[in-house]
Amino acid sequence: DGGITQSPKYLFRKEGQNVTLSCEQNLNHDAMYWYRQDPGQGLRLIYYSQIVNDFQKGDIAEGYSVSREKKESFPLTVTSAQKNPTAFYLCASSITGGSGNQPQHFGDGTRLSIL
Amino acid sequence: RKEVEQDPGPFNVPEGATVAFNCTYSNSASQSFFWYRQDCRKEPKLLMSVYSSGNEDGRFTAQLNRASQYISLLIRDSKLSDSATYLCVASNYGGSQGNLIFGKGTKLSVKP
């Protein structure tokens, strides 16, 4: 089945550690996105990529890094510089990016907690 | 800053009731609008797109009022399974910060 796969489902980070969240899609979508959701809050955009080998900062990029070496993959690294990483991380994709005419489809998320 | 504003609720309604949610958006250049549904501790799922002429999908009806910059979602004959948080979404046309702006959601609880 086509879709977006995020792994792991749950992740624990030790202080000072970098961790990487995986996001893979087989929908042949050009655009991919990473959001963070805190309890009772809306989605906040971390990074997005409209095309392979290109990505842009969102509203809360500090302490995070991404890469887009392949169309189907958009991993997110939560670095030790991110002092409050505990949240629900959601990856999404859309057919195209930038025009805003396409809905985004989400993976089932990764819950990150600090040990 | 471009925003999408929603009443957080909760809306507590009995089964079979009709319930309506509104949201407002600040970017007058927004071109596309959507409603998503998010269950507790799950990812958002696309419920429906919102078209200028209004559109209906079964028990769900979405309306767009560009002059007043608001979007509505009407749910008829509410089911227990409709209990969820409903996210209103507008495109950030011409924006540099991704292409969709999500509201914080309206929580619906349908009771027996």
Side-chain angles (χ1 to χ4, degrees):
Chain A
D1 285 355
I4 304 171
T5 302
Q6 289 188 242
S7 62
K9 198 171 181 67
Y10 299 95
L11 186 59
F12 297 91
R13 195 193 87 169
K14 294 179 183 177
E15 198 160 335
Q17 184 183 42
N18 293 353
V19 292
T20 297
L21 284 59
S22 170
C23 178
E24 304 277 330
Q25 54 99 359
N26 60 4
L27 301 167
N28 200 32
H29 285 177
D30 282 325
M32 297 185 75
Y33 312 82
W34 274 106
Y35 293 90
R36 167 182 174 142
Q37 188 175 37
D38 293 278
Q41 300 298 315
L43 278 68
R44 291 188 289 169
L45 183 66
I46 304 172
Y47 268 98
Y48 65 104
S49 168
Q50 295 183 359
I51 198 166
V52 68
N53 290 323
D54 182 62
F55 51 83
Q56 305 293 330
K57 292 182 179 180
D59 297 320
I60 54 165
E62 186 174 348
Y64 300 96
S65 65
V66 293
S67 62
R68 186 86 189 277
E69 296 176 0
K70 297 186 295 183
K71 186 175 184 177
E72 60 271 23
S73 179
F74 192 40
L76 173 75
T77 296
V78 184
T79 75
S80 57
Q82 173 48 246
K83 298 305 180 188
N84 184 22
T86 298
F88 186 37
Y89 289 86
L90 288 158
C91 178
S93 70
S94 62
I95 294 174
T96 59
S99 67
N101 291 327
Q102 300 295 330
Q104 293 175 12
H105 301 275
F106 288 84
D108 58 5
T110 293
R111 292 196 178 275
L112 176 62
S113 301
I114 297 180
L115 279 177
Chain B
R1 174 171 171 76
K2 299 181 174 61
E3 301 278 352
V4 172
E5 301 287 343
Q6 296 182 249
D7 181 343
F11 284 62
N12 297 308
V13 302
E15 257 186 305
T18 295
V19 62
F21 309 136
N22 291 331
C23 86
T24 58
Y25 61 94
S26 62
N27 184 358
S28 59
S30 291
Q31 297 292 315
S32 303
F33 306 90
F34 310 96
W35 282 101
Y36 281 72
R37 170 198 170 120
Q38 186 173 24
D39 292 286
C40 188
R41 299 179 66 81
K42 299 288 189 180
E43 76 276 20
K45 292 185 178 178
L46 180 65
L47 180 65
M48 58 197 303
S49 301
V50 185
Y51 303 121
S52 297
S53 55
N55 50 300
E56 188 174 308
D57 183 1
R59 298 181 294 108
F60 299 85
T61 300
Q63 297 278 353
L64 168 63
N65 184 319
R66 284 193 184 275
S68 301
Q69 293 184 209
Y70 80 78
I71 308 150
S72 65
L73 177 68
L74 182 77
I75 305 175
R76 291 181 298 277
D77 188 23
S78 299
K79 311 292 184 191
L80 295 176
S81 57
D82 293 335
S83 297
T85 296
Y86 291 83
L87 308 179
C88 177
V89 185
S91 65
N92 187 25
Y93 182 74
S96 60
Q97 301 295 308
N99 71 339
L100 293 181
I101 303 295
F102 287 79
K104 294 182 178 180
T106 297
K107 187 172 182 179
L108 171 66
S109 181
V110 181
K111 306 291 187 183

